[in-house]
Amino acid sequence: MSASNGTRITTELSHDWRYQPDLYHDGIREGYASPEFNDHAWRQVSLPCLADAVTPELASFRGGIWFRRTVSSIQGDPACVQLHIGGVVGRSQVYWDGVLVHEDRDCFLPITIDLSGRTAPDRPHCLVIHIDNTCHPEDIPGQRLGWDMPCGIIRSVQLVAMATSHFETVRVTGGCEGSRGTVCAEVAATMSAHAPLQAELTVRSLDGRVCGTPICQVISSGQPARIEATIPDIQPWSPESPTLYEVQLHLLENGQVIDTVSRRIGFRTISWSKEGIFLNGNLIYLLGFNRHEDTHESGMVENPGRMREDLRAMKAMGCNFIRLAHYPHAESTLDLCDELGMLVLEEVPVYWWGGADDETSRQILEAGKRQLTRLIDRDRHHPSTLIWSVSNETTENLPHIIRGNAELIRHARTCDSTRPITHVSTATRITAETSVEDDVLCINDYPGIEAVKRAKYSPQAAEAYWPTIIAALRALYPDTPIVVTEFGYPAFHGI
C-alpha cells in the first residue's frame, strides 16, 4: 500500500514477509541474507511481529530472528529512497540485495537508511532484517531488566521515495505568551544543485485554516537554517484544552514545491522553580500512572487502540500525566497524548546501571547519550512531552554513576533546554551529591513492600513515610520541584 503527501510517496511494507528463528546463529553461514537463498519453507508473517506471537515457545528466547521479503517495485522516483523502520527489540542488521546497509544497537527508536543509488524501478529487490535480542552488558537496555524483551520488529516498516532535493532535518517547537504563539523550525536540506532553494513555513489549524503569515527563507545545501514565525490569536495547548496545529514546511525550487514535511504541534510554555512546574504560567499538579508499552493483546507491538482506551480511562479518573516507562514508546502514543491532553515523562532505558567504572560503563554512558539525542530529535515537537528522564534507579552510591547521570542530563540539555531534565532515583539513595544537575527530583519508593519484607507493615506507617522523605529531600534541594514517579503495593489481577 502506498500513500503520498504530494511530494513524498510512502510504501508500507507490512505483508509478505518470511520469518525464521536462528536458534544456533547459523543464518550468516547459511546465507539467509542472500537474494538467492530459498526461504519458501519459512513461515509467512506480517509486521509488526514478535517471536513469541508467532511461536509461543519462544517467549523467553534470546537470540536471532530473520525477516525476508521481496520488494517488487519502488513507488515514485527511485533516485532517492529511504527505508524507515519504526522500532525493533534487539540489535539489528539490515541487508538490501545481499549487502549489509545498516547496523544498529538501539532498541525502540526509529531507524532511517538511505538506499539512494541502490534501487531501480524495473527489478525486484531483496530486503532482509536480522534482529538479535541477546542481552549485552554494554547496551541499553542491558542485562538487568524489569520487563520482557521479546525479539522482533515492533513498529511499521516503510519505503519513502522523495525528490533528490529534500529536507534532511526538521525540528519544530511551539511556544506561546498568552494568545500569541511562536514557532521555531530548524531545518537542513540536501540539494541536487548548488543554487539555494527556499523553505516556506506555514501554520494551519487542524481544519485547514492558515494561521498567521507564511514565512519564506532562502537555505543552502547542507547548511542548518532557523525559521521563526509569530502566530496571533492561538489557543494554548493544555491538558484541559489540547488544541493542536499543523506546521507545514515546503521546499521550493523556482516557486514549485519539491518536498513537504509536516509536524503537529501545540503552543505552550514550560517553566519550573522551587514552587513547582508551570504550564503556560500556571502551576500544575501532576497525577497519573506509569505505563509499559506491552499489552495482553499485542505484547510490545504498538497498539494505538488499546493506548487510546487506557488514556481515556486515566483522564476519566482525573489524571493529567503519564510516565512512559522505561524506554521510548511508539510515536503514535505521543500523538495520542497530544490529542487527548496527557502530559508525558519520556525516558531512555539506562536502567539499574551499576557495576565497575570500566569500559562497559563508559559504553553505557555513550549509548545513553546517543539514545537521548535520537529520542529528543524524534519527539521535541510534541506538546505533551513535559520531562526527559535519562535513567531509572541507578546505583547512586558509586561516584562514576553519579558523574554519569550528571553527564547524561547535561547532554540532554544541549539537545533541548526548554524542558526539565531528570534522572529517576530511589528516594532513599538521594544525597547532596546525586542530583545537583536535575531540574526536577523524580523519586521511586515502595515503603509498604519494604515494610512487609520486615513483617512491620501498617497503612499508617506507609502513609507517614512520604511526608518524612519529601521533607528530607526538600532540605537537600530546596529549589528543585519533586515528582513521585513510583509507589504502590503488590496486588493480584482481579482481586
Side-chain angles (χ1 to χ4, degrees):
M1 182 177 67
S2 298
S4 173
N5 69 355
T7 56
R8 296 187 177 199
I9 297 178
T10 299
T11 302
E12 294 284 346
L13 302 180
S14 302
H15 304 295
D16 302 323
W17 288 86
R18 297 284 180 170
Y19 154 99
Q20 177 64 32
D22 191 358
L23 302 180
Y24 304 105
H25 302 282
D26 293 329
I28 296 294
R29 185 179 70 250
E30 295 293 333
Y32 288 0
S34 170
E36 287 74 38
F37 180 80
N38 186 344
D39 61 14
H40 290 166
W42 290 15
R43 187 171 302 191
Q44 191 164 355
V45 298
S46 295
L47 299 185
C49 177
L50 291 171
D52 58 347
V54 180
T55 314
E57 294 80 7
L58 297 182
S60 58
F61 172 68
R62 291 288 178 266
I65 302 288
W66 291 80
F67 297 89
R68 290 173 52 99
R69 67 157 286 165
T70 297
V71 179
S72 57
S73 63
I74 305 295
Q75 301 296 317
D77 185 354
C80 187
V81 177
Q82 294 179 348
L83 177 68
H84 291 178
I85 303 172
V88 305
V89 178
R91 291 187 175 185
S92 58
Q93 297 172 312
V94 181
Y95 299 84
W96 184 261
D97 290 337
V99 177
L100 177 64
V101 292
H102 187 80
E103 293 185 271
D104 210 292
R105 291 171 51 182
D106 296 335
C107 297
F108 310 113
L109 289 161
I111 299 166
T112 298
I113 303 164
D114 185 7
L115 296 177
S116 300
R118 300 181 182 273
T119 60
D122 54 353
R123 68 177 180 88
H125 297 278
C126 177
L127 172 58
V128 180
I129 303 174
H130 176 232
I131 311 296
D132 192 323
N133 72 340
T134 302
C135 294
H136 298 270
E138 69 274 20
D139 286 354
I140 61 169
Q143 292 181 318
R144 303 182 68 196
L145 295 172
W147 65 90
D148 194 20
M149 284 278 288
C151 188
I153 300 172
I154 56 174
R155 295 170 197 150
S156 64
V157 176
Q158 303 170 328
L159 279 176
V160 181
M162 63 197 75
T164 307
S165 295
H166 59 271
F167 286 115
E168 183 177 8
T169 302
V170 173
R171 301 187 181 104
V172 179
T173 53
C176 70
E177 184 175 340
S179 62
R180 184 174 65 89
T182 57
V183 179
C184 177
E186 298 174 0
V187 302
T190 297
M191 303 181 191
S192 58
H194 295 294
L197 303 179
Q198 290 182 314
E200 182 184 71
L201 183 152
T202 303
V203 178
R204 296 179 183 271
S205 61
L206 294 192
D207 62 8
R209 176 177 54 86
V210 174
C211 304
T213 303
I215 302 294
C216 202
Q217 185 169 313
V218 174
I219 62 173
S220 300
S221 180
Q223 298 298 313
R226 185 182 180 97
I227 307 172
E228 296 179 315
T230 299
I231 311 298
D233 301 322
I234 56 92
Q235 295 294 321
W237 185 95
S238 70
E240 299 76 25
S241 179
T243 304
L244 296 171
Y245 295 80
E246 184 181 27
V247 175
Q248 295 178 331
L249 286 151
H250 301 298
L251 191 64
L252 306 175
E253 184 176 37
N254 298 322
Q256 299 296 312
V257 175
I258 57 174
D259 192 24
T260 299
V261 174
S262 297
R263 295 285 186 268
R264 200 173 65 167
I265 69 164
F267 293 104
R268 57 100 183 97
T269 57
I270 300 168
S271 59
W272 56 96
S273 70
K274 63 182 179 181
E275 281 79 25
I277 301 175
F278 296 79
L279 183 70
N280 303 329
N282 300 312
L283 182 67
I284 53 172
Y285 182 80
L286 300 176
L287 182 65
F289 290 87
N290 289 265
R291 189 187 190 277
H292 277 279
E293 191 157 36
D294 56 338
T295 65
H296 177 72
E297 301 95 336
S298 56
M300 293 197 77
V301 168
E302 68 174 303
N303 188 334
R306 168 59 64 187
M307 188 68 203
R308 182 181 291 273
E309 291 179 13
D310 287 354
L311 288 172
R312 283 177 168 168
M314 294 176 198
K315 292 282 287 187
M317 295 172 65
C319 296
N320 62 1
F321 182 60
I322 185 170
R323 179 187 181 203
L324 301 180
H326 292 286
Y327 41 80
H329 288 220
E331 292 172 80
S332 61
T333 294
L334 277 298
D335 289 336
L336 286 170
C337 290
D338 292 343
E339 175 188 331
L340 298 176
M342 186 70 77
L343 293 162
V344 177
L345 182 150
E346 295 198 65
E347 195 163 77
V348 294
V350 180
Y351 184 85
W352 291 350
W353 181 20
D357 185 7
D358 57 10
E359 180 59 28
T360 295
S361 190
R362 286 185 281 277
Q363 289 188 48
I364 290 171
L365 179 61
E366 291 308 309
K369 291 179 182 178
R370 183 177 65 247
Q371 291 197 24
L372 281 165
T373 299
R374 293 174 69 172
L375 176 64
I376 293 171
D377 271 354
R378 189 192 76 169
D379 291 342
R380 68 171 64 241
H381 66 282
H382 288 285
S384 58
T385 299
L386 178 70
I387 301 170
W388 304 114
S389 169
V390 307
S391 65
N392 178 73
E393 294 183 1
T394 56
T395 309
E396 297 190 52
N397 61 330
L398 299 176
H400 70 283
I401 300 296
I402 296 173
R403 293 193 303 269
N405 279 319
E407 191 169 337
L408 289 170
I409 290 172
R410 289 192 294 269
H411 176 81
R413 197 170 286 131
T414 66
C415 299
D416 181 7
S417 62
T418 68
R419 295 174 170 94
I421 302 165
T422 189
H423 77 289
V424 178
S425 303
T426 301
T428 53
R429 291 182 178 176
I430 296 177
T431 69
E433 292 77 34
T434 57
S435 306
V436 174
E437 287 287 343
D438 294 64
D439 297 313
V440 178
L441 292 183
C442 287
I443 58 174
N444 299 344
D445 217 340
Y446 295 85
I449 295 176
E450 295 303 317
V452 167
K453 291 178 182 177
R454 300 189 298 271
K456 295 181 179 179
Y457 175 73
S458 74
Q460 295 78 16
E463 184 178 358
Y465 172 83
W466 283 109
T468 302
I469 195 70
I470 288 174
L473 294 175
R474 288 200 184 282
L476 285 175
Y477 295 96
D479 297 327
T480 307
I482 298 173
V483 177
V484 178
T485 37
E486 290 185 35
F487 66 96
Y489 192 72
F492 294 94
H493 178 68
I495 298 178

